[in-house]
Amino acid sequence: MDIVHSVSQLRRRLRKEPNNVFVPTMGNLHEGHIQLMRIAKPRAACTVVSIFVNRLQFGPREDFDRYPRTLERDSELLRGAGVDVVFAPDEAEIYPEAQTFAVEPSGLQHILEGAHRPGHFRGVATVVLKLFNLVMPHSAIFGKKDYQQYLVLRDMVRQFALPIEIIPAETVRAPDGLALSSRNAYLSAKERREAPRLYRLLRQAYTGIMGGARDFQRIELHCMSQLADHGWHPDYVTVRRQADLQRPDADERELVVLAAARLGRTRLIDNVEMFLR
Ligand code: PAF
């Protein structure tokens, strides 16, 4: 496995590697990321992973500074997962000058996560487009825990006709249901015991809707009040259509229930897809 830090090293290393699959990350890797590598590996001769904490996608009061940087440990995990190339640039390498051009995502950027994190998806789309231009993969893997991010990037690739297949990966969970996330490391022991409630509530919503419940507002309010009763600060729990995260019509078959809520200082997100018959 080669670890490269500069754009020129990366380009040199990949010059003879047209068949590559890409997994962009911000590091602090966990089993959820390793699952992305497992999906990536059989798809190409060369698996490329980037590790870059992208300032552009963090709001001024978010956790950019305290986001864990664990390159040594990450490299060991990636070596074990059979990754071929790790691209770990510093900020000056990715943004040698102020990034005055940006990718402006669709209306998706103004709802849900976008409404709570203004500018977040512009930052994500801008860095991912840049990384795509550097790595030039034929496919890239994104986890569905960040459901809205996956949709933004899928739509970006389609609308700009980028020759890249976006492959979604299922969320990996701890045995108690908590979706794996780098931010789980911020949870205290007590909060960690409470955290699986988020997924439990989404599963209840899933069971209700699959069983015929159609009063989505009631379901959403129930989940929000359960969270609030147990010390959470919910941003949203909402049932949407999968295609564009708009509110579903009564006959919509492909739904997703998405949630974001703060537990102490940690903001957790999760979602569950539903395919109605
Ligand atoms: O999902 C992430 O880790 C980041 O948003 C990504 C896609 C690596 C862009 O910085």
Side-chain angles (χ1 to χ4, degrees), residues 4-120:
V4 298
H5 298 283
S6 73
V7 167
S8 57
Q9 285 172 324
L10 178 74
R11 289 210 198 273
R12 216 171 313 125
R13 173 63 180 81
L14 294 181
R15 196 164 295 147
K16 290 197 203 71
E17 213 84 72
N19 176 11
N20 78 63
V21 55
F22 181 37
V23 186
T25 80
M26 298 204 300
N28 192 27
L29 304 178
H30 50 68
E31 180 54 30
H33 292 106
I34 302 307
Q35 179 61 16
L36 305 183
M37 313 305 156
R38 283 192 205 107
I39 294 171
K41 248 202 104 47
R43 292 180 176 265
C46 176
T47 303
V48 183
V49 173
S50 64
I51 297 180
F52 179 63
V53 185
N54 173 39
R55 187 188 290 275
L56 288 193
Q57 71 190 70
F58 287 79
R61 299 206 330 249
E62 293 185 13
D63 54 347
F64 176 77
D65 288 326
R66 68 176 176 131
Y67 202 87
R69 274 100 170 151
T70 52
L71 182 60
E72 221 164 282
R73 193 182 146 271
D74 292 347
S75 306
E76 283 318 302
L77 286 173
L78 293 175
R79 205 182 302 277
V83 165
D84 299 286
V85 180
V86 176
F87 177 45
D90 66 14
E91 227 177 329
E93 199 60 30
I94 295 295
Y95 301 123
E97 59 189 46
Q99 184 72 31
T100 54
F101 288 83
V103 179
E104 208 57 57
S106 64
L108 266 178
Q109 72 169 319
H110 300 300
I111 60 171
L112 306 176
E113 282 307 280
H116 288 274
R117 305 183 66 189
H120 171 67

Side-chain angles (χ1 to χ4, degrees), residues 238-264:
T238 184
V239 179
R240 299 290 168 117
R241 56 182 190 216
Q242 289 177 19
D244 55 9
L245 302 186
Q246 295 302 314
R247 292 208 178 273
D249 300 326
D251 58 353
E252 186 62 51
R253 309 315 272 157
E254 300 193 345
L255 302 172
V256 55
V257 53
L258 307 114
R262 261 182 310 111
L263 186 56

Side-chain angles (χ1 to χ4, degrees), residues 166-181:
I166 299 294
I167 298 161
E170 295 304 323
T171 301
V172 179
R173 299 181 181 282
D176 61 9
L178 178 65
L180 298 192
S181 162

